[in-house]
Amino acid sequence: MGSTDEQRSAGSGRATSRDVARLAGVSHTAVSFVFNGRAEGNLSPATQERIREAAAELGYRPDPVARGLRRRRTAVIGLVTDEIASSPFAGRLLRGAMETAWDSDHLVLTVDSGGDRAKEDAAVAELLDRRVDGIIYAAMSLRRVRVPEGLHRTHSVLANCVPDDDSLPSVVPAERAGGRTAARLLLDQGHRRIALVGGQDDIASVERLRGFRDALRAEGITVPKEWIVRTGGEISGGHEGATRLLDGVPADRRPTGIFCYNDRVAAGALHAATRLGLTVPGDLSVVGYDDQEHMAAFLDPPLTSVALPHRAMGEAAARLLLDAIDTGRTPPATVRRLACPVISRSSVGPAPIR
């Protein structure tokens, strides 16, 4: 009886490992050693190269299904998301996860639930039925999440969210440190009258504000209560908040720098400044957050922003999951926080002298 590899290839016209062995003039076992990662120490480099050349000439590729059956793995990981497909950052996170998985000979099967809990549970169940090696659950925005049913039945990692029962490892942005970074961008340019616009009561807003206060407190600066303006996360909120801070206020009593909850809010703040006849960064410096693709670099002026590490989150979550799959050990249920890098452009300048 032939191997599973041979049975699947019979009659298909596809080259088999035995075809490669015949062309290379080696045993079938030698071919298996090369494509199962056992060649070092068993075969000379010249023999390994001859086998690979024969495989390339024949267009031979090992059967992933057969290989998975032998190893009790499928070389596929699942990625379940809430509403990330509608997020401008989805591509970065997905690319990070998929390329990391691909480098380890894994494919990623992605399902977007649209935020429907029943669909999330069904998606996880379907992935388990397909015997994926593990699952990443990713959220569109940083928040505590109900862990979908079934995630505890396989190796699982969360990305851009934390489990409400603290039961699984997660990879998230270091939001508090990001808030400190944003404030420091303005402090280092001599700004001492700094306001914050946008955000609500979600984890990201709370953590960014904490970091913002940390940095100002370290400089002995107390932010007036009315300079923390919570107006949501859209352009309209940025316009409203900045107008409230700047319109009709004497130059020596208004903020010279504004840290915005995200780049959309920053775009609204820039609109408000222009409408009020203020120059950026001459009269007012503005810092955004997210480094939103197709937006931040194209505002007028181009926006300095603290970037969310979406690609790095995808890479780190996939690596954590693949390590668990390789070792067979579930990683501890800890939260790994990734740095949020600064993307410097033209919206921040020295504090005006008044």
Side-chain angles (χ1 to χ4, degrees), residues 146-176:
R146 177 199 70 104
V147 177
E149 291 181 15
L151 282 192
H152 296 107
R153 290 168 50 198
T154 187
H155 298 297
S156 298
V157 175
L158 274 58
N160 204 34
C161 55
V162 291
D164 57 9
D165 59 1
D166 298 319
S167 62
L168 293 171
S170 56
V171 181
V172 302
E175 295 283 17
R176 187 168 183 169

Side-chain angles (χ1 to χ4, degrees), residues 180-329:
R180 287 195 294 269
T181 296
R184 284 252 50 106
L185 287 169
L186 296 166
L187 290 167
D188 290 348
Q189 289 291 327
H191 294 272
R192 293 297 179 268
R193 300 200 305 274
I194 305 172
L196 184 147
V197 173
Q200 296 172 325
D201 294 325
D202 57 287
I203 294 177
S205 296
V206 170
E207 290 297 295
R208 291 173 196 179
L209 176 57
R210 285 177 178 167
F212 174 77
R213 289 190 188 278
D214 289 344
L216 269 64
R217 191 179 299 115
E219 297 292 330
I221 300 171
T222 300
V223 184
K225 183 178 180 180
E226 62 271 20
W227 282 12
I228 305 297
V229 186
R230 290 303 201 190
T231 52
E234 300 304 323
I235 292 175
S236 58
H239 188 279
E240 174 193 340
T243 299
R244 196 186 306 176
L245 290 166
L246 304 171
D247 194 11
V249 180
D252 61 351
R253 294 175 53 195
R254 69 183 180 226
T256 62
I258 296 179
F259 167 37
C260 296
Y261 168 70
N262 63 23
D263 293 346
R264 294 190 299 278
V265 170
L270 293 176
H271 280 305
T274 298
R275 185 180 64 81
L276 295 171
L278 302 176
T279 62
V280 177
D283 298 312
L284 177 73
S285 288
V286 177
V287 176
Y289 207 104
D290 294 350
D291 191 38
Q292 186 166 329
E293 199 170 7
H294 308 308
M295 172 180 281
F298 301 99
L299 294 172
D300 185 19
L303 183 66
T304 291
S305 187
V306 178
L308 282 172
H310 280 94
R311 185 187 183 95
M313 277 193 289
E315 292 171 348
R319 175 46 52 205
L320 194 60
L321 183 62
L322 290 164
D323 287 346
I325 292 166
D326 287 343
T327 63
R329 293 193 297 269

